[in-house]
Amino acid sequence: MRDIKLLLEAWGGWAATDHSGVSYSHIAAGFRGLITSPPATRPICSDPDGMILDACISRLKKYHPDEHRLLVAHYHYRVSLRALARRLHCADGTLRKQLQTAEGFIEGMLCAMDSRLEFEKRCELSD
C-alpha cells in the first residue's frame, strides 16, 4: 500500500524547485496572501517520479478542477486546509473530503499505470 500523502508531499517539493521544469502560478487560484515562505527542508522526489505524478495531477485537473486547485494549494504551496477553508468560507471537513477524492484519484491513476516510483523504493529502504 503506497503512502499517497508522502508521495504528494514529495511531488510538491519537486514542483517547488526551479529545476523541475514545471511552473505553477505563484498566486494560486485566488489564494493570495495565504502562501507563506517555504520551509527549510521538504521531501523531494526524483525528476522521473515528479513527471509521472505531474501527469496524474494534470489528468485530475481535466476531470476535477476544484480538487486539483485544492491539491496544488495544499501540497505544492503548503497552505493548510484550515486556512483554505477560511478563505473559501466553508468547513475544513468539506475540504478534507475533496482532498481525499483528489488523493484517491492520483492513487488510482498510479495503480492503473502499474508504476512503482523510485521515491517509494527509497522510503522502503529507509524503514
Side-chain angles (χ1 to χ4, degrees), residues 94-125:
T94 303
L95 293 184
R96 273 191 183 79
K97 289 176 187 172
Q98 287 182 332
L99 189 61
Q100 285 176 345
T101 299
E103 292 165 349
F105 184 91
I106 301 302
E107 189 166 5
M109 289 290 300
L110 291 172
C111 287
M113 292 169 45
D114 196 29
S115 66
R116 187 94 169 124
L117 302 177
E118 294 171 19
F119 188 79
E120 292 176 298
K121 293 174 189 172
R122 279 194 322 224
C123 289
E124 285 178 1
L125 293 176

PDB file of all heavy atoms in Angstrom, residues 94-125:
ATOM      1  N   THR A  94     -15.176  19.618   4.767  1.00  0.00           N
ATOM      2  CA  THR A  94     -15.559  19.567   3.357  1.00  0.00           C
ATOM      3  C   THR A  94     -14.325  19.507   2.478  1.00  0.00           C
ATOM      4  O   THR A  94     -14.250  18.723   1.527  1.00  0.00           O
ATOM      5  CB  THR A  94     -16.404  20.806   2.985  1.00  0.00           C
ATOM      6  OG1 THR A  94     -17.544  20.849   3.840  1.00  0.00           O
ATOM      7  CG2 THR A  94     -16.839  20.776   1.541  1.00  0.00           C
ATOM      8  N   LEU A  95     -13.334  20.340   2.799  1.00  0.00           N
ATOM      9  CA  LEU A  95     -12.101  20.350   2.019  1.00  0.00           C
ATOM     10  C   LEU A  95     -11.309  19.059   2.204  1.00  0.00           C
ATOM     11  O   LEU A  95     -10.665  18.589   1.266  1.00  0.00           O
ATOM     12  CB  LEU A  95     -11.240  21.555   2.390  1.00  0.00           C
ATOM     13  CG  LEU A  95     -11.817  22.915   2.006  1.00  0.00           C
ATOM     14  CD1 LEU A  95     -10.830  24.027   2.326  1.00  0.00           C
ATOM     15  CD2 LEU A  95     -12.200  22.966   0.540  1.00  0.00           C
ATOM     16  N   ARG A  96     -11.355  18.490   3.394  1.00  0.00           N
ATOM     17  CA  ARG A  96     -10.671  17.212   3.631  1.00  0.00           C
ATOM     18  C   ARG A  96     -11.250  16.127   2.721  1.00  0.00           C
ATOM     19  O   ARG A  96     -10.516  15.308   2.168  1.00  0.00           O
ATOM     20  CB  ARG A  96     -10.814  16.789   5.085  1.00  0.00           C
ATOM     21  CG  ARG A  96      -9.769  17.363   5.971  1.00  0.00           C
ATOM     22  CD  ARG A  96      -9.768  16.711   7.351  1.00  0.00           C
ATOM     23  NE  ARG A  96      -8.777  17.367   8.172  1.00  0.00           N
ATOM     24  CZ  ARG A  96      -8.943  18.546   8.772  1.00  0.00           C
ATOM     25  NH1 ARG A  96     -10.072  19.192   8.627  1.00  0.00           N
ATOM     26  NH2 ARG A  96      -7.983  19.068   9.496  1.00  0.00           N
ATOM     27  N   LYS A  97     -12.571  16.118   2.580  1.00  0.00           N
ATOM     28  CA  LYS A  97     -13.210  15.132   1.707  1.00  0.00           C
ATOM     29  C   LYS A  97     -12.802  15.350   0.255  1.00  0.00           C
ATOM     30  O   LYS A  97     -12.545  14.393  -0.478  1.00  0.00           O
ATOM     31  CB  LYS A  97     -14.728  15.198   1.844  1.00  0.00           C
ATOM     32  CG  LYS A  97     -15.226  14.674   3.171  1.00  0.00           C
ATOM     33  CD  LYS A  97     -16.716  14.842   3.295  1.00  0.00           C
ATOM     34  CE  LYS A  97     -17.174  14.469   4.695  1.00  0.00           C
ATOM     35  NZ  LYS A  97     -18.584  14.784   4.919  1.00  0.00           N
ATOM     36  N   GLN A  98     -12.742  16.612  -0.170  1.00  0.00           N
ATOM     37  CA  GLN A  98     -12.315  16.909  -1.536  1.00  0.00           C
ATOM     38  C   GLN A  98     -10.861  16.503  -1.748  1.00  0.00           C
ATOM     39  O   GLN A  98     -10.509  15.975  -2.806  1.00  0.00           O
ATOM     40  CB  GLN A  98     -12.486  18.394  -1.844  1.00  0.00           C
ATOM     41  CG  GLN A  98     -13.911  18.820  -2.032  1.00  0.00           C
ATOM     42  CD  GLN A  98     -14.021  20.293  -2.370  1.00  0.00           C
ATOM     43  OE1 GLN A  98     -13.173  21.097  -1.999  1.00  0.00           O
ATOM     44  NE2 GLN A  98     -15.075  20.652  -3.066  1.00  0.00           N
ATOM     45  N   LEU A  99     -10.017  16.751  -0.747  1.00  0.00           N
ATOM     46  CA  LEU A  99      -8.616  16.374  -0.853  1.00  0.00           C
ATOM     47  C   LEU A  99      -8.472  14.853  -0.895  1.00  0.00           C
ATOM     48  O   LEU A  99      -7.653  14.325  -1.657  1.00  0.00           O
ATOM     49  CB  LEU A  99      -7.808  16.964   0.304  1.00  0.00           C
ATOM     50  CG  LEU A  99      -6.297  16.825   0.196  1.00  0.00           C
ATOM     51  CD1 LEU A  99      -5.775  17.546  -1.045  1.00  0.00           C
ATOM     52  CD2 LEU A  99      -5.624  17.384   1.436  1.00  0.00           C
ATOM     53  N   GLN A 100      -9.286  14.135  -0.119  1.00  0.00           N
ATOM     54  CA  GLN A 100      -9.259  12.669  -0.171  1.00  0.00           C
ATOM     55  C   GLN A 100      -9.684  12.167  -1.550  1.00  0.00           C
ATOM     56  O   GLN A 100      -9.137  11.180  -2.049  1.00  0.00           O
ATOM     57  CB  GLN A 100     -10.169  12.082   0.902  1.00  0.00           C
ATOM     58  CG  GLN A 100      -9.594  12.161   2.291  1.00  0.00           C
ATOM     59  CD  GLN A 100     -10.573  11.652   3.345  1.00  0.00           C
ATOM     60  OE1 GLN A 100     -11.767  11.503   3.093  1.00  0.00           O
ATOM     61  NE2 GLN A 100     -10.052  11.403   4.533  1.00  0.00           N
ATOM     62  N   THR A 101     -10.646  12.843  -2.160  1.00  0.00           N
ATOM     63  CA  THR A 101     -11.063  12.486  -3.517  1.00  0.00           C
ATOM     64  C   THR A 101      -9.899  12.656  -4.481  1.00  0.00           C
ATOM     65  O   THR A 101      -9.633  11.779  -5.309  1.00  0.00           O
ATOM     66  CB  THR A 101     -12.253  13.364  -3.962  1.00  0.00           C
ATOM     67  OG1 THR A 101     -13.346  13.153  -3.079  1.00  0.00           O
ATOM     68  CG2 THR A 101     -12.670  13.057  -5.393  1.00  0.00           C
ATOM     69  N   ALA A 102      -9.191  13.780  -4.364  1.00  0.00           N
ATOM     70  CA  ALA A 102      -8.046  14.046  -5.240  1.00  0.00           C
ATOM     71  C   ALA A 102      -6.941  13.021  -5.012  1.00  0.00           C
ATOM     72  O   ALA A 102      -6.363  12.499  -5.977  1.00  0.00           O
ATOM     73  CB  ALA A 102      -7.521  15.458  -4.998  1.00  0.00           C
ATOM     74  N   GLU A 103      -6.642  12.724  -3.756  1.00  0.00           N
ATOM     75  CA  GLU A 103      -5.600  11.750  -3.436  1.00  0.00           C
ATOM     76  C   GLU A 103      -5.974  10.360  -3.965  1.00  0.00           C
ATOM     77  O   GLU A 103      -5.123   9.652  -4.513  1.00  0.00           O
ATOM     78  CB  GLU A 103      -5.373  11.689  -1.924  1.00  0.00           C
ATOM     79  CG  GLU A 103      -4.757  12.944  -1.358  1.00  0.00           C
ATOM     80  CD  GLU A 103      -4.852  13.039   0.158  1.00  0.00           C
ATOM     81  OE1 GLU A 103      -5.578  12.241   0.789  1.00  0.00           O
ATOM     82  OE2 GLU A 103      -4.187  13.934   0.707  1.00  0.00           O
ATOM     83  N   GLY A 104      -7.227  10.005  -3.823  1.00  0.00           N
ATOM     84  CA  GLY A 104      -7.698   8.720  -4.340  1.00  0.00           C
ATOM     85  C   GLY A 104      -7.602   8.644  -5.853  1.00  0.00           C
ATOM     86  O   GLY A 104      -7.258   7.597  -6.415  1.00  0.00           O
ATOM     87  N   PHE A 105      -7.892   9.747  -6.521  1.00  0.00           N
ATOM     88  CA  PHE A 105      -7.793   9.807  -7.973  1.00  0.00           C
ATOM     89  C   PHE A 105      -6.347   9.575  -8.402  1.00  0.00           C
ATOM     90  O   PHE A 105      -6.083   8.774  -9.302  1.00  0.00           O
ATOM     91  CB  PHE A 105      -8.290  11.165  -8.477  1.00  0.00           C
ATOM     92  CG  PHE A 105      -8.318  11.294  -9.966  1.00  0.00           C
ATOM     93  CD1 PHE A 105      -9.452  10.972 -10.686  1.00  0.00           C
ATOM     94  CD2 PHE A 105      -7.202  11.744 -10.661  1.00  0.00           C
ATOM     95  CE1 PHE A 105      -9.487  11.097 -12.058  1.00  0.00           C
ATOM     96  CE2 PHE A 105      -7.218  11.865 -12.042  1.00  0.00           C
ATOM     97  CZ  PHE A 105      -8.367  11.533 -12.746  1.00  0.00           C
ATOM     98  N   ILE A 106      -5.415  10.264  -7.743  1.00  0.00           N
ATOM     99  CA  ILE A 106      -3.994  10.128  -8.087  1.00  0.00           C
ATOM    100  C   ILE A 106      -3.528   8.697  -7.813  1.00  0.00           C
ATOM    101  O   ILE A 106      -2.824   8.092  -8.630  1.00  0.00           O
ATOM    102  CB  ILE A 106      -3.127  11.139  -7.304  1.00  0.00           C
ATOM    103  CG1 ILE A 106      -3.565  12.573  -7.589  1.00  0.00           C
ATOM    104  CG2 ILE A 106      -1.649  10.937  -7.599  1.00  0.00           C
ATOM    105  CD1 ILE A 106      -3.511  12.983  -9.026  1.00  0.00           C
ATOM    106  N   GLU A 107      -3.922   8.149  -6.681  1.00  0.00           N
ATOM    107  CA  GLU A 107      -3.533   6.776  -6.356  1.00  0.00           C
ATOM    108  C   GLU A 107      -4.112   5.793  -7.374  1.00  0.00           C
ATOM    109  O   GLU A 107      -3.442   4.850  -7.792  1.00  0.00           O
ATOM    110  CB  GLU A 107      -3.979   6.410  -4.943  1.00  0.00           C
ATOM    111  CG  GLU A 107      -3.417   5.095  -4.483  1.00  0.00           C
ATOM    112  CD  GLU A 107      -3.572   4.878  -2.990  1.00  0.00           C
ATOM    113  OE1 GLU A 107      -4.196   5.704  -2.305  1.00  0.00           O
ATOM    114  OE2 GLU A 107      -3.063   3.848  -2.530  1.00  0.00           O
ATOM    115  N   GLY A 108      -5.344   6.017  -7.786  1.00  0.00           N
ATOM    116  CA  GLY A 108      -5.963   5.178  -8.806  1.00  0.00           C
ATOM    117  C   GLY A 108      -5.228   5.261 -10.134  1.00  0.00           C
ATOM    118  O   GLY A 108      -5.027   4.241 -10.812  1.00  0.00           O
ATOM    119  N   MET A 109      -4.802   6.464 -10.505  1.00  0.00           N
ATOM    120  CA  MET A 109      -4.028   6.634 -11.744  1.00  0.00           C
ATOM    121  C   MET A 109      -2.717   5.862 -11.665  1.00  0.00           C
ATOM    122  O   MET A 109      -2.322   5.195 -12.624  1.00  0.00           O
ATOM    123  CB  MET A 109      -3.741   8.117 -11.992  1.00  0.00           C
ATOM    124  CG  MET A 109      -4.938   8.947 -12.385  1.00  0.00           C
ATOM    125  SD  MET A 109      -5.535   8.572 -14.028  1.00  0.00           S
ATOM    126  CE  MET A 109      -4.101   8.958 -14.999  1.00  0.00           C
ATOM    127  N   LEU A 110      -2.033   5.958 -10.528  1.00  0.00           N
ATOM    128  CA  LEU A 110      -0.760   5.250 -10.359  1.00  0.00           C
ATOM    129  C   LEU A 110      -0.961   3.739 -10.406  1.00  0.00           C
ATOM    130  O   LEU A 110      -0.146   3.014 -10.993  1.00  0.00           O
ATOM    131  CB  LEU A 110      -0.083   5.674  -9.051  1.00  0.00           C
ATOM    132  CG  LEU A 110       0.447   7.101  -9.015  1.00  0.00           C
ATOM    133  CD1 LEU A 110       0.903   7.462  -7.607  1.00  0.00           C
ATOM    134  CD2 LEU A 110       1.569   7.297 -10.016  1.00  0.00           C
ATOM    135  N   CYS A 111      -2.048   3.270  -9.801  1.00  0.00           N
ATOM    136  CA  CYS A 111      -2.350   1.833  -9.843  1.00  0.00           C
ATOM    137  C   CYS A 111      -2.670   1.384 -11.266  1.00  0.00           C
ATOM    138  O   CYS A 111      -2.237   0.310 -11.694  1.00  0.00           O
ATOM    139  CB  CYS A 111      -3.515   1.500  -8.922  1.00  0.00           C
ATOM    140  SG  CYS A 111      -3.077   1.561  -7.181  1.00  0.00           S
ATOM    141  N   ALA A 112      -3.422   2.193 -11.993  1.00  0.00           N
ATOM    142  CA  ALA A 112      -3.775   1.849 -13.372  1.00  0.00           C
ATOM    143  C   ALA A 112      -2.535   1.809 -14.261  1.00  0.00           C
ATOM    144  O   ALA A 112      -2.444   0.988 -15.176  1.00  0.00           O
ATOM    145  CB  ALA A 112      -4.785   2.853 -13.920  1.00  0.00           C
ATOM    146  N   MET A 113      -1.572   2.677 -13.966  1.00  0.00           N
ATOM    147  CA  MET A 113      -0.323   2.697 -14.732  1.00  0.00           C
ATOM    148  C   MET A 113       0.600   1.564 -14.302  1.00  0.00           C
ATOM    149  O   MET A 113       1.577   1.285 -14.979  1.00  0.00           O
ATOM    150  CB  MET A 113       0.386   4.036 -14.547  1.00  0.00           C
ATOM    151  CG  MET A 113      -0.349   5.199 -15.167  1.00  0.00           C
ATOM    152  SD  MET A 113       0.304   6.817 -14.705  1.00  0.00           S
ATOM    153  CE  MET A 113       2.047   6.633 -14.868  1.00  0.00           C
ATOM    154  N   ASP A 114       0.303   0.962 -13.157  1.00  0.00           N
ATOM    155  CA  ASP A 114       1.109  -0.119 -12.589  1.00  0.00           C
ATOM    156  C   ASP A 114       2.576   0.291 -12.477  1.00  0.00           C
ATOM    157  O   ASP A 114       3.478  -0.449 -12.836  1.00  0.00           O
ATOM    158  CB  ASP A 114       0.962  -1.396 -13.420  1.00  0.00           C
ATOM    159  CG  ASP A 114       1.451  -2.621 -12.671  1.00  0.00           C
ATOM    160  OD1 ASP A 114       1.376  -2.615 -11.421  1.00  0.00           O
ATOM    161  OD2 ASP A 114       1.915  -3.569 -13.324  1.00  0.00           O
ATOM    162  N   SER A 115       2.778   1.519 -11.986  1.00  0.00           N
ATOM    163  CA  SER A 115       4.149   2.020 -11.867  1.00  0.00           C
ATOM    164  C   SER A 115       4.593   2.020 -10.413  1.00  0.00           C
ATOM    165  O   SER A 115       3.810   2.281  -9.501  1.00  0.00           O
ATOM    166  CB  SER A 115       4.252   3.437 -12.441  1.00  0.00           C
ATOM    167  OG  SER A 115       3.502   4.331 -11.667  1.00  0.00           O
ATOM    168  N   ARG A 116       5.836   1.703 -10.215  1.00  0.00           N
ATOM    169  CA  ARG A 116       6.469   1.724  -8.895  1.00  0.00           C
ATOM    170  C   ARG A 116       7.468   2.864  -8.931  1.00  0.00           C
ATOM    171  O   ARG A 116       8.397   2.874  -9.736  1.00  0.00           O
ATOM    172  CB  ARG A 116       7.182   0.398  -8.662  1.00  0.00           C
ATOM    173  CG  ARG A 116       7.711   0.260  -7.288  1.00  0.00           C
ATOM    174  CD  ARG A 116       6.683  -0.480  -6.451  1.00  0.00           C
ATOM    175  NE  ARG A 116       7.316  -0.841  -5.200  1.00  0.00           N
ATOM    176  CZ  ARG A 116       6.829  -0.491  -4.040  1.00  0.00           C
ATOM    177  NH1 ARG A 116       5.711   0.173  -3.964  1.00  0.00           N
ATOM    178  NH2 ARG A 116       7.445  -0.825  -2.943  1.00  0.00           N
ATOM    179  N   LEU A 117       7.267   3.853  -8.078  1.00  0.00           N
ATOM    180  CA  LEU A 117       8.101   5.052  -8.101  1.00  0.00           C
ATOM    181  C   LEU A 117       9.380   4.857  -7.294  1.00  0.00           C
ATOM    182  O   LEU A 117       9.402   4.133  -6.299  1.00  0.00           O
ATOM    183  CB  LEU A 117       7.304   6.240  -7.556  1.00  0.00           C
ATOM    184  CG  LEU A 117       6.006   6.556  -8.303  1.00  0.00           C
ATOM    185  CD1 LEU A 117       5.276   7.694  -7.630  1.00  0.00           C
ATOM    186  CD2 LEU A 117       6.280   6.882  -9.753  1.00  0.00           C
ATOM    187  N   GLU A 118      10.446   5.527  -7.738  1.00  0.00           N
ATOM    188  CA  GLU A 118      11.735   5.465  -7.044  1.00  0.00           C
ATOM    189  C   GLU A 118      11.610   5.949  -5.603  1.00  0.00           C
ATOM    190  O   GLU A 118      12.239   5.402  -4.707  1.00  0.00           O
ATOM    191  CB  GLU A 118      12.766   6.338  -7.770  1.00  0.00           C
ATOM    192  CG  GLU A 118      13.137   5.870  -9.142  1.00  0.00           C
ATOM    193  CD  GLU A 118      13.991   6.886  -9.881  1.00  0.00           C
ATOM    194  OE1 GLU A 118      14.594   7.769  -9.228  1.00  0.00           O
ATOM    195  OE2 GLU A 118      14.068   6.790 -11.109  1.00  0.00           O
ATOM    196  N   PHE A 119      10.806   6.975  -5.395  1.00  0.00           N
ATOM    197  CA  PHE A 119      10.650   7.540  -4.055  1.00  0.00           C
ATOM    198  C   PHE A 119      10.086   6.506  -3.083  1.00  0.00           C
ATOM    199  O   PHE A 119      10.496   6.430  -1.935  1.00  0.00           O
ATOM    200  CB  PHE A 119       9.751   8.783  -4.106  1.00  0.00           C
ATOM    201  CG  PHE A 119       9.691   9.539  -2.825  1.00  0.00           C
ATOM    202  CD1 PHE A 119      10.731  10.392  -2.464  1.00  0.00           C
ATOM    203  CD2 PHE A 119       8.618   9.410  -1.958  1.00  0.00           C
ATOM    204  CE1 PHE A 119      10.688  11.095  -1.267  1.00  0.00           C
ATOM    205  CE2 PHE A 119       8.575  10.098  -0.777  1.00  0.00           C
ATOM    206  CZ  PHE A 119       9.608  10.952  -0.420  1.00  0.00           C
ATOM    207  N   GLU A 120       9.155   5.682  -3.566  1.00  0.00           N
ATOM    208  CA  GLU A 120       8.585   4.631  -2.717  1.00  0.00           C
ATOM    209  C   GLU A 120       9.653   3.592  -2.355  1.00  0.00           C
ATOM    210  O   GLU A 120       9.706   3.131  -1.219  1.00  0.00           O
ATOM    211  CB  GLU A 120       7.443   3.926  -3.449  1.00  0.00           C
ATOM    212  CG  GLU A 120       6.238   4.788  -3.656  1.00  0.00           C
ATOM    213  CD  GLU A 120       5.178   4.074  -4.461  1.00  0.00           C
ATOM    214  OE1 GLU A 120       5.435   3.722  -5.630  1.00  0.00           O
ATOM    215  OE2 GLU A 120       4.095   3.848  -3.899  1.00  0.00           O
ATOM    216  N   LYS A 121      10.496   3.242  -3.298  1.00  0.00           N
ATOM    217  CA  LYS A 121      11.564   2.274  -3.049  1.00  0.00           C
ATOM    218  C   LYS A 121      12.547   2.829  -2.017  1.00  0.00           C
ATOM    219  O   LYS A 121      12.978   2.109  -1.131  1.00  0.00           O
ATOM    220  CB  LYS A 121      12.285   1.931  -4.340  1.00  0.00           C
ATOM    221  CG  LYS A 121      11.427   1.187  -5.328  1.00  0.00           C
ATOM    222  CD  LYS A 121      12.138   1.012  -6.637  1.00  0.00           C
ATOM    223  CE  LYS A 121      11.191   0.468  -7.693  1.00  0.00           C
ATOM    224  NZ  LYS A 121      11.785   0.465  -9.023  1.00  0.00           N
ATOM    225  N   ARG A 122      12.876   4.121  -2.136  1.00  0.00           N
ATOM    226  CA  ARG A 122      13.798   4.754  -1.172  1.00  0.00           C
ATOM    227  C   ARG A 122      13.195   4.758   0.213  1.00  0.00           C
ATOM    228  O   ARG A 122      13.886   4.535   1.200  1.00  0.00           O
ATOM    229  CB  ARG A 122      14.120   6.198  -1.585  1.00  0.00           C
ATOM    230  CG  ARG A 122      15.154   6.314  -2.625  1.00  0.00           C
ATOM    231  CD  ARG A 122      15.664   7.719  -2.735  1.00  0.00           C
ATOM    232  NE  ARG A 122      14.638   8.729  -2.560  1.00  0.00           N
ATOM    233  CZ  ARG A 122      14.497   9.799  -3.307  1.00  0.00           C
ATOM    234  NH1 ARG A 122      15.293  10.004  -4.318  1.00  0.00           N
ATOM    235  NH2 ARG A 122      13.541  10.662  -3.067  1.00  0.00           N
ATOM    236  N   CYS A 123      11.901   5.026   0.313  1.00  0.00           N
ATOM    237  CA  CYS A 123      11.231   5.052   1.622  1.00  0.00           C
ATOM    238  C   CYS A 123      11.215   3.672   2.257  1.00  0.00           C
ATOM    239  O   CYS A 123      11.360   3.536   3.458  1.00  0.00           O
ATOM    240  CB  CYS A 123       9.809   5.588   1.484  1.00  0.00           C
ATOM    241  SG  CYS A 123       9.749   7.342   1.130  1.00  0.00           S
ATOM    242  N   GLU A 124      11.013   2.644   1.451  1.00  0.00           N
ATOM    243  CA  GLU A 124      11.020   1.272   1.965  1.00  0.00           C
ATOM    244  C   GLU A 124      12.402   0.903   2.491  1.00  0.00           C
ATOM    245  O   GLU A 124      12.524   0.228   3.508  1.00  0.00           O
ATOM    246  CB  GLU A 124      10.596   0.288   0.876  1.00  0.00           C
ATOM    247  CG  GLU A 124       9.129   0.297   0.596  1.00  0.00           C
ATOM    248  CD  GLU A 124       8.750  -0.658  -0.516  1.00  0.00           C
ATOM    249  OE1 GLU A 124       9.641  -1.351  -1.057  1.00  0.00           O
ATOM    250  OE2 GLU A 124       7.562  -0.701  -0.862  1.00  0.00           O
ATOM    251  N   LEU A 125      13.436   1.321   1.800  1.00  0.00           N
ATOM    252  CA  LEU A 125      14.802   1.004   2.225  1.00  0.00           C
ATOM    253  C   LEU A 125      15.181   1.701   3.512  1.00  0.00           C
ATOM    254  O   LEU A 125      15.938   1.175   4.317  1.00  0.00           O
ATOM    255  CB  LEU A 125      15.796   1.383   1.135  1.00  0.00           C
ATOM    256  CG  LEU A 125      15.720   0.554  -0.156  1.00  0.00           C
ATOM    257  CD1 LEU A 125      16.688   1.104  -1.190  1.00  0.00           C
ATOM    258  CD2 LEU A 125      15.987  -0.912   0.113  1.00  0.00           C
TER     259      LEU A 125
END
